[in-house]
Structures are given as structure tokens and as C-alpha cells.
Amino acid sequence: MEHDRRRTRAWVLHPEIKSDEQRRVPEPALAEAVALAAALPDLEVVGSEIVRLPRAQAGYLFGSGKIDELHDRFHDHKVDLVLIDGPVTPVQQRNLEKALEVKILDRTGLILEIFSDRARTREGVLQVEMAALSYQRTRLVRAWTHLERQRGGLGFVGGPGETQIEADRRAIDEQLVRLRRQLQKVVKTRTLHRAARAKVPYPIVALVGYTNAGKSTLFNRLTGAEVMAKDMLFATLDPTMRRVQLPDGPEVILSDTVGFISNLPTELVAAFRATLEEVLGADLIVHVRDISHEETDAQAQDVESILTSLGVDEERPRLEVWNKIDLLNPEDKDAALARAERDTAIFSISAVTGEGVDPLLAEIATLLQGARHEAVLNLSYAEGNKRAWLFRQDVVQSEDQTEDGFRLTVLWTDKQAAQFASL
């Protein structure tokens, strides 16, 4: 009970603006915003609502009547923090905090808070910290009430000194420079690790999808790992990789990645790009969808648009997995299974029960095996290291000894051929 008293009491608002052409269906959007807030352990969501607006007010976002109504409601419920599911300008944020007498956090700020709380790897921490500083830099207009206070000056320079907001902005810029230098060192180390992984012959299978689609649950079922898998947005942030032996197929590296979300803050695009480099180089992308969610189609479109913005090639082999069929009613479940039977690129599964997982694994094995092709190599006796490498990769189909060396028939992937050429 003592812990509960220390938690911040929060209220979630989803503005439905009629003039917004890109607006989402308000009810599931509000539910997602509440789930985002619940992902932070220090928050207690005590209420939520949809605020319908003909248009956004430039200064306050909401009209004066609505602000008075919200002020009284927040006061009655002892609300400390209001989360607005959408963009809020610095001026709107400052004015709303004064009028409502609560702290205001918009969607970008909330997602940054979650990422900051969840980042574990050194690179993830640095990327999130840089994103947060870039975001805060634009918010300095509301962060201070003493913007005209002067700083420094020894009396011999004419004119005003440096304002507080300029000093704060300069401090942020200096911190960003330091973080970029640290990040460059981390990226250099990661590049070396990635180069070492490139020598591993196993194909990479990347799981991608909207946050809370069940990627980590599927990852755990396939690998026997214990990656955190909860009914929570952004339960997984840092990528995880494990080696998996496919039934009647090759060994693969399976990668579990951070979940996507609609209206991804621009400050976090770089962080996503860094954590998704394994996806960019994957031999196969498995798009996991929560087929039980009422906005599953919209979520799938968000995932595809983010993959495109990250530079993922549309020609990259992909499979679509309709997860959580165990949550569908019998009629919808039968329809999902029937659709999967008609479309060879779609698989209906339940990562929780394991239903449909075996056919998915069989198809993954078929696709990756199909990427292999036969080649004949002639090696001299002096190239024993290359011959040994081929046998370690288990790609040699036959071998004949010749006068000058060895003649080998291999069955390998383009990736293995490129690795062999670099030896």
C-alpha cells in the first residue's frame, strides 16, 4: 500500500479532432494510450476519456469550457499527470499546465518515458537519451518561468547577458555532442560484432510486428528462451537473438525485435534503426500480427510503413503470421484458418497454445532451403583452410581428389558463397 501511495495518478485523454484527416478510430486508440500509460510502473491510471473537438485550438488545444470541466474533474480525482494521446505544441503544453494545474505529457513524451525505462543495452540507453534531449530541446519554452533572467556577464560587455533558455539549450547541445561521441564508440564495437556474426553460416529470421502482437511469446516457444513476454506494450525493447534448429531444416538465428507503434515519434526513428539492423540484413522477415485486435489491419499498415521508412527491401522474403487465434470466436477462427489455407504466405497460429506453429516452421525451412544452390569448386592443396571451412558449414555434397587438389560439389546459400569468397 505504501508503494501505491507513491505512484503518480494519471488521466488519459484522446483528442478526436474532426478536421484531422489522419485520425484513428477513437475507442481503440484510447485503449492503446491507456495501455501505454500502464506500461510505466510508477503510473496509476485513474481515468480516461475521448475529447471530441471540431478543431484544435492554437493556444490551449481544448476550448475554454472543456478546460474548466477537465480542471474540476482532475481536482476531484487528485490527478497529478494528464497524458494526451497526440501531438501537443510547447505553447499548448505550457498553457494547459497552467490552466489545469497538472503536469502534461503528450504521446511522444510518454513513449520516450517508456523507452527510457526499458532500455538495457548501452546503445539503447544512449539512443533513448539522445532522443529525449532532442525532444526536451523543443520544450524549453514551457520548461521555465524565468526566461528573462540573465546569466553571467562581468559588467564590461554591453547589452544583456545570456538568457536562461539559451543557457539550457546550449547545455543540451553540449550533452548531445558528448552522447554522439559515446555512441560512435558503441556503434564501432557493434559493427565488429556484426561482422563476426556475418561469418556464421546460419540464416537470420527476424520477427517484426506491432507492439504486443505476441512476438516474444512466439520467440520463447521456438527457442525455449525466457524473454520477457507480457500483455504490455513495449515489453521487449532491446533485440534478442537465439540459434534454432528447424525440424527437417537448417539451423537459423531467430531475432526478436522491439514492437512498432502508430505515430512513432520522429526522435525515436534513429533508435529503431539501430535496434533493427538485424532486420535489414535478415534472410526472412516474419511479420507477426495480433489477429484478434479490432485494428489489426491498421496495425499491419503501420508496420509496413515503418519497415519501408527504415529501408527494408520490399523484395525481401516475408511471411505473415496471424497470431492469437485462440482469442477469436469459433466463426472468426475458422475464417482465419481458411484464409491461411488459401494463401501460402499467411499462417494462423497461437503462440500460447502452439496451434499452427509446426506448419509455420516447415514453411520457414522450405524457404531457407530453397535459397540454396549447387556449385562446383576446385581447391588446391594449399587451400586447406577453405576446404575445412566448407566442411564446417556442412555444405559439401561430394568431394573428389585431383592432381592439383580437390574438386567439391557444394549446396549453399548466396550468403555462404559471399562468405567463402571473402576467406
Side-chain angles (χ1 to χ4, degrees):
M1 296 298 293
E2 182 179 355
H3 174 72
D4 290 340
R5 285 197 296 271
R6 288 199 301 266
R7 297 176 69 188
T8 301
R9 294 173 63 84
W11 197 283
V12 180
L13 299 177
H14 174 77
E16 184 194 8
I17 303 173
K18 293 182 179 179
S19 60
D20 185 2
E21 297 180 356
Q22 303 297 325
R23 66 179 183 272
R24 303 157 63 202
V25 179
E27 288 76 17
L30 176 64
E32 180 180 279
V34 171
L36 277 172
L40 283 176
D42 295 332
L43 290 187
E44 177 188 4
V45 180
V46 296
S48 62
E49 62 184 284
I50 297 169
V51 181
R52 291 178 167 83
L53 304 169
R55 64 184 183 279
Q57 301 294 326
Y60 287 85
L61 183 61
F62 308 121
S64 57
K66 190 63 180 181
I67 289 178
D68 292 339
E69 176 190 333
L70 291 173
H71 176 276
D72 295 340
R73 186 173 304 150
F74 297 156
H75 182 269
D76 293 342
H77 289 83
K78 296 180 173 59
V79 173
D80 306 304
L81 172 68
V82 173
L83 304 169
I84 298 180
D85 183 36
V88 179
T89 68
V91 171
Q92 290 171 340
Q93 189 167 356
R94 178 194 61 192
N95 292 340
L96 283 173
E97 286 181 344
K98 288 182 179 179
L100 298 174
E101 298 182 302
V102 293
K103 173 70 176 175
I104 299 292
L105 199 62
D106 67 359
R107 182 181 178 87
T108 297
L110 176 58
I111 295 176
L112 283 169
E113 288 285 347
I114 295 172
F115 271 57
S116 178
D117 183 64
R118 299 285 169 75
R120 293 294 179 267
T121 65
R122 179 59 177 160
E123 182 180 12
V125 170
L126 289 173
Q127 287 283 10
V128 172
E129 189 173 349
M130 288 178 61
L133 285 172
S134 298
Y135 173 74
Q136 291 169 11
R137 192 181 189 280
T138 67
R139 302 272 145 178
L140 289 178
V141 64
R142 63 93 191 162
W144 304 93
T145 58
H146 52 275
L147 300 185
E148 295 305 318
R149 190 175 70 186
Q150 303 301 309
R151 165 192 162 321
L154 298 178
F156 55 84
V157 177
E162 184 180 41
T163 63
Q164 183 65 42
I165 191 171
E166 290 169 345
D168 296 331
R169 185 173 288 122
R170 181 170 52 81
I172 287 178
D173 290 341
E174 291 172 354
Q175 178 67 0
L176 282 171
V177 170
R178 287 193 293 270
L179 289 174
R180 288 192 184 98
R181 289 172 180 166
Q182 295 178 44
L183 187 61
Q184 287 174 356
K185 296 179 181 179
V186 175
V187 168
K188 184 177 180 180
T189 302
R190 177 169 47 81
T191 302
L192 294 175
H193 290 167
R194 190 168 65 251
R197 285 198 301 271
K199 297 181 180 179
V200 177
Y202 311 118
I204 295 177
V205 178
L207 302 179
V208 302
Y210 206 81
T211 183
N212 208 33
K215 297 181 301 302
S216 295
T217 303
L218 179 59
F219 182 85
N220 290 343
R221 173 167 288 277
L222 298 181
T223 64
E226 296 182 355
V227 172
M228 186 172 83
K230 298 178 65 177
D231 185 15
M232 176 190 295
L233 301 186
F234 295 121
T236 302
L237 179 54
D238 293 313
T240 306
M241 305 184 76
R242 293 287 189 278
R243 192 171 71 180
V244 178
Q245 174 66 59
L246 295 177
D248 301 322
E251 282 188 288
V252 301
I253 298 294
L254 191 65
S255 175
D256 183 24
T257 61
V258 61
F260 298 164
I261 195 167
S262 64
N263 301 323
L264 180 67
T266 56
E267 291 86 355
L268 279 174
V269 171
F272 264 73
R273 186 182 299 276
T275 58
L276 290 172
E277 282 192 340
E278 300 300 342
V279 177
L280 297 177
D283 298 279
L284 175 64
I285 294 176
V286 177
H287 178 186
V288 182
R289 291 176 54 178
D290 177 0
I291 200 62
S292 68
H293 197 282
E294 58 185 311
E295 285 206 304
T296 181
D297 291 334
Q299 291 180 351
Q301 291 176 4
D302 288 329
V303 170
E304 291 298 332
S305 63
I306 293 174
L307 286 175
T308 300
S309 67
L310 289 171
V312 177
D313 187 0
E314 292 183 359
E315 301 301 321
R316 189 72 50 84
R318 300 190 193 189
L319 291 178
E320 190 167 293
V321 173
W322 291 2
N323 189 28
K324 303 189 182 182
I325 59 172
D326 54 303
L327 300 182
L328 296 175
N329 61 51
E331 183 178 344
D332 291 340
K333 181 178 179 179
D334 290 341
L337 292 173
R339 170 69 185 277
E341 288 182 2
R342 295 193 303 269
D343 194 329
T344 57
I346 295 177
F347 290 82
S348 295
I349 73 162
S350 169
V352 171
T353 67
E355 181 180 0
V357 171
D358 289 342
L360 171 63
L361 291 177
E363 179 63 18
I364 292 176
T366 299
L367 287 175
L368 295 178
Q369 291 281 23
R372 296 173 180 249
H373 58 275
E374 191 174 279
V376 176
L377 305 174
N378 292 295
L379 300 179
S380 67
Y381 288 115
E383 295 177 299
N385 61 327
K386 292 186 176 182
R387 176 176 175 271
W389 184 89
L390 292 170
F391 276 98
R392 287 198 302 271
Q393 307 310 310
D394 195 25
V395 297
V396 178
Q397 302 298 299
S398 64
E399 178 186 36
D400 296 314
Q401 191 167 351
T402 66
E403 293 182 0
D404 300 322
F406 301 94
R407 180 182 178 86
L408 301 97
T409 301
V410 299
L411 184 65
W412 59 6
T413 64
D414 289 337
K415 181 178 179 181
Q416 288 172 318
Q419 292 167 355
F420 178 79
S422 65
L423 293 178

